[in-house]
Amino acid sequence: MGDSPERRATTGTGRRFRWLRAAGDRVPTKWFASIGAGAFLVATAAFGGMATAREPGPVPLAAGEPYRGAQFELTVERAVLLDELSAAGVIVEPGQRVLGIVLEAENRWTEPIASAATGGLATAVSIEALPGEPPASIARYDDATVRPWLQPGVPARLAVVWAVDADRFADGERIRVVVHEQTLTTGSFVTSGTSWGDPVAAATVELVIDDVDAGAEPDPDAGADPDPDAGPEAGR
């Protein structure tokens, strides 16, 4: 007997996450050069040379170069396109695909933070080409846990995903990820407790999109079960 539709769907989404991981095992190295150049500039400025003040605005970072803020330390690694990624909690409509940003996040606060909540990672990262559009979902990269809580001091590799029109982005296209610094507010009078909010652009990371599903072989488990009465010559 063939597998049930539910088992085939689970197998398909699991395979899709494996494609995502396999395409991401290439560790970016060009940011080492950026760090070296930055160290040189700091040392030079200490001796009075090249002490030109930087223009105000977001700091441009290379892929794989960390941004250390008050709330998170974020390392944006890469951007991918997929046909679907329901295992990450995003549902695409006909004519849509999934744009995903792979990053590592470490909660630098003293309390757990809900990654997908307002004031969490969902408002700390955005796509410049998708203004005002929060991610559809956030999932752990290792086990696909959807909308995880981020524990203090524990780095987590995550997939931050959006459902986008199928022709909105293409393989090889450059996009800019914006990292936002958020402010911790303590309530008083009417409100109480503490919360993060008021995101302000602090850094940008330019990425080249990798279409993970481009040229992918069809899922062999997605087809109809073979007819057991068709004989060994069926399908040849």
Side-chain angles (χ1 to χ4, degrees), residues 1 7 15 25 32 41 43 45 51 54 59 76 90 113 125 134 144-147 156 183 190 199 212 220-221 230:
M1 296 179 62
R7 178 176 176 80
R15 179 178 291 106
D25 287 338
F32 288 108
L41 291 175
R54 189 183 64 82
V59 178
V76 179
V90 57
I113 298 176
V125 176
T145 298
V146 177
R147 300 176 182 88
T183 302
V190 179
V212 177
D221 297 322

Side-chain angles (χ1 to χ4, degrees), residues 78-97:
R78 64 198 185 92
V80 295
L81 270 178
L82 304 102
D83 291 339
E84 64 89 21
L85 197 63
S86 57
V90 57
I91 304 301
V92 294
E93 302 294 336
Q96 289 187 320
R97 299 187 74 195

